Amino acid sequence: MVSFAQRVERMRESGTLGMANKADDLIEEGKDIISFSMGEPDFTTPQHIIDAAKRALDEGFTHYTASNGIKCLREAIAKKCREENGIPATCNEVMVTIAKHAISIAILSSVDIGEEVIIPNPCWTSYHALINIAKGRPVSVEVNRDNDFRMKPEDIMEKLSLKSRVIILNSPSNPTGGVATKQDLKGIAEIAMDHNLTVISDEIYEKVIYEGKHHSIAAIDGMFDRTYTINGFSKAYAMTGWRVGWVTASKELLRPLERIQQHSITCVTSFVQKAALEALVGPMEPIHEFVRIFKKRRDLIVKELNRIEGFHINKPKGAFYAFPAYDYDIASLPFAMKLLDHGIALTPGSAFGRFGEHHLRLSYAASMEKIKEGICRLKKAVEELDLPLRKESENNK
Ligand SMILES: Cc1ncc(COP(=O)(O)O)c(C=O)c1O
C-alpha cells in the first residue's frame, strides 16, 4: 500500500472547490443548478490584456524569464505599490509569482514546526491547509457581524503566546467582505512590532471595494521590513486562469521566497507576465466597470437575503461574497447539500473555519437574473424545508 507524508494525510479537499466541482458535475448531468460557489469574477479578461499576451506569443516571448519576473513588470508593480498603497517598494523588492503560491512560500519561510500563525476565523480556506503543510499551528481570532468581520487588535492580543510568529491579514476578506480600517491596522502594526511578528497581508481583493478605502499595513512606518504584501491580477482584472500575482517585501524578507521559487515553479509564464504589465499600465475603465457591476449585485443580493425568514446579513464592504448568518438548527454542510437538491449551489460557512458555522457563502459573481432566480429558489427551499430554529440562536439578535 502507498503511504503518504503526514502533512498531506491531514489535508482536506478545499471546501470551496469541492462544492464548485459538485455543482459542475450536476450541471454536466443536465441538472438545473444556479451556482453561487464560484470564487472568481464571471467577466472575461479585458481585450487589451488578451491582446498583449497574443502579441508576446507572436513575438516569440516564450522562454524562461528571470525567476523573480521581468524587470518592466516588477518596476510597474513597485510604482503601483508606492503610488496607490504607500508601500516603499523598489523593483528588487517585488517578486512576480502566483498569489496562492506567494502565501504558501511566505508561510513556509516564516513558520517552524509548532509555531503559531494568527488568522481571522472565518477566513479563506487555504490558510489552514497551508499552515498545516508548514507544520505550524493556526490560531483563530473570531470575526463576526458584531465586529463588522474585522480582526481587532485587542482580540489578537488575547491570542498571543511565546510561539506566535505570524499574523495573516486579509482585507477585503473572503468570505466575509470585511474591510480593515486604518485604525485596526495601526493597532495590529504595533502588536507586530512589539512582539517581533511577521505579517502576511493578503490584499488580493484590494480593488473590489465599495465603501471605505483600502489600506496596506506595509505602508505604516516600520512595517515594510516585516510584512509580505501579496496581491495579484486574478480578482481585479478577471484573470484567475492566467495565474499571475506578486509579493512585495524588503530584500531580506524576499530572499527565501525567491530561492523557493527558483527551485519550484522557476518563474511565472513568460507571455502572461507581458499581459500582466498591460493590465497595470493599460486603461482602468474595465476594472471600474467590474466593480460598479459587483456593487449593484451586492445591493440586490443583500436586500433579497434579508427578506428570507431567519437570514441576516450586513452589507459586505468589499470582495464579491455574501456571507449571511441563519437561525436554523442545521449545520451549514448538510444545509448546503439540501439546497443543492433545490437547485442552488453555495459554500457552507464551516468550510471557512468553525466561526463560519451557521453561515453560507454566496459568490455574487453571477448575473442579476441568476441572483434573482437563485435567491427565489433559496427562499422557496427554506420554506419547504421548514427547518426548526436554533434554541439559543446567536444570530437571532
Ligand atoms: C483570500 C484569497 N487569497 C488568495 C487567493 C489566491 O489568488 P490566486 O488565485 O490569484 O492565486 C484567493 C483566491 O480565491 C483568495 O480568495
Side-chain angles (χ1 to χ4, degrees):
M1 213 172 85
V2 190
S3 68
F4 294 102
Q6 276 175 20
R7 69 174 72 86
V8 292
E9 290 211 314
R10 284 190 300 158
M11 203 157 73
R12 286 182 301 163
E13 184 193 32
S14 154
T16 45
L17 293 182
M19 209 59 186
N21 293 344
K22 249 184 213 116
D24 284 349
D25 289 348
L26 289 173
I27 292 166
E28 237 168 64
E29 282 168 25
K31 298 254 164 57
D32 173 22
I33 304 284
I34 292 192
S35 181
F36 292 119
S37 54
M38 302 301 290
E40 60 175 343
D42 53 327
F43 311 117
T44 305
T45 307
Q47 191 59 43
H48 65 102
I49 300 174
I50 294 175
D51 290 342
K54 285 184 183 167
R55 253 191 330 270
L57 279 170
D58 286 341
E59 287 164 6
F61 196 70
T62 55
H63 298 271
Y64 289 134
T65 69
S67 180
N68 61 349
I70 55 177
K71 192 163 182 223
C72 49
L73 176 56
R74 283 186 289 115
E75 274 170 348
I77 292 169
K79 184 168 182 282
K80 177 246 178 272
C81 290
R82 285 194 304 270
E83 290 176 2
E84 290 183 13
N85 308 103
I87 299 174
T90 63
C91 78
N92 292 329
E93 290 159 326
V94 173
M95 180 170 82
V96 178
T97 182
I98 298 168
K100 202 178 224 176
H101 186 60
I103 296 164
S104 166
I105 62 182
I107 294 171
L108 281 173
S109 301
S110 311
V111 179
D112 265 321
I113 296 175
E115 288 185 330
E116 294 177 356
V117 182
I118 293 176
I119 50 170
N121 187 328
C123 66
W124 182 49
T125 53
S126 294
Y127 298 143
H128 281 98
L130 296 174
I131 295 165
N132 286 332
I133 290 173
K135 296 228 171 219
R137 204 172 83 79
V139 173
S140 291
V141 171
E142 181 181 0
V143 292
N144 53 43
R145 275 195 310 137
D146 292 340
N147 58 26
D148 238 357
F149 292 113
R150 281 156 44 207
M151 197 153 67
K152 294 300 190 68
E154 56 272 27
D155 297 334
I156 294 178
M157 278 302 287
E158 275 181 24
K159 300 288 175 171
L160 288 182
S161 82
L162 291 174
K163 291 196 169 162
S164 305
R165 187 67 192 83
V166 171
I167 303 174
I168 296 186
L169 304 178
N170 175 218
S171 173
S173 148
N174 171 11
T176 68
V179 170
T181 63
K182 203 171 183 176
Q183 210 50 35
D184 295 337
L185 296 181
K186 271 191 181 156
I188 295 170
E190 263 170 40
I191 294 173
M193 289 189 271
D194 288 351
H195 297 268
N196 195 23
L197 305 177
T198 300
V199 172
I200 298 177
S201 183
D202 176 354
E203 304 184 12
I204 194 91
Y205 292 95
E206 171 196 359
K207 298 264 180 237
V208 191
I209 195 159
Y210 315 108
E211 271 104 36
K213 192 179 158 341
H214 174 76
H215 298 285
S216 294
I217 196 165
I220 296 175
D221 265 358
M223 286 306 291
F224 183 61
D225 289 340
R226 55 175 71 252
T227 305
Y228 290 107
T229 304
I230 285 149
N231 208 326
F233 297 87
S234 293
K235 315 290 174 171
Y237 300 88
M239 289 176 69
T240 47
W242 297 72
R243 312 309 299 131
V244 57
W246 70 84
V247 48
T248 49
S250 68
K251 276 192 205 129
E252 192 189 357
L253 275 187
L254 209 50
R255 201 167 300 125
L257 275 64
E258 288 177 336
R259 291 194 183 145
I260 300 181
Q261 176 138 310
Q262 286 163 11
H263 292 294
S264 54
I265 65 168
T266 306
C267 63
V268 165
T269 309
S270 52
F271 51 90
V272 164
Q273 293 189 52
K274 287 284 176 94
L277 175 63
E278 175 59 26
L280 279 187
V281 301
M284 285 302 285
E285 186 42 38
I287 283 69
H288 297 147
E289 180 59 12
F290 292 163
V291 177
R292 275 196 290 274
I293 296 172
F294 277 141
K295 188 165 191 268
K296 278 195 195 142
R297 293 171 176 177
R298 176 202 65 166
D299 292 346
L300 174 72
I301 203 164
V302 166
K303 189 172 91 199
E304 294 303 322
L305 282 168
N306 275 324
R307 282 190 178 152
I308 300 177
E309 182 80 38
F311 274 61
H312 313 273
I313 178 169
N314 300 338
K315 265 188 189 175
K317 293 188 170 65
F320 40 75
Y321 307 101
F323 197 64
Y326 59 84
D327 293 339
Y328 300 105
D329 192 13
I330 181 170
S332 55
L333 181 60
F335 195 12
M337 295 310 287
K338 280 183 193 291
L339 293 172
L340 200 52
D341 293 338
H342 285 76
I344 320 136
L346 37 69
T347 313
S350 57
F352 305 98
R354 70 194 160 98
F355 295 113
E357 188 47 284
H358 292 105
H359 291 74
L360 299 168
R361 191 195 76 170
L362 294 86
S363 157
Y364 46 89
S367 68
M368 296 289 266
E369 292 66 39
K370 278 203 175 147
I371 293 173
K372 278 185 201 148
E373 171 61 19
I375 300 296
C376 200
R377 286 187 193 183
L378 178 59
K379 191 165 188 285
K380 207 161 151 242
V382 170
E383 282 161 12
E384 281 174 17
L385 288 168
D386 196 20
L387 300 160
L389 287 174
R390 282 203 284 155
K391 285 203 180 66
E392 279 180 46
S393 171
E394 286 167 32
N395 301 322
N396 212 1
K397 293 171 191 166

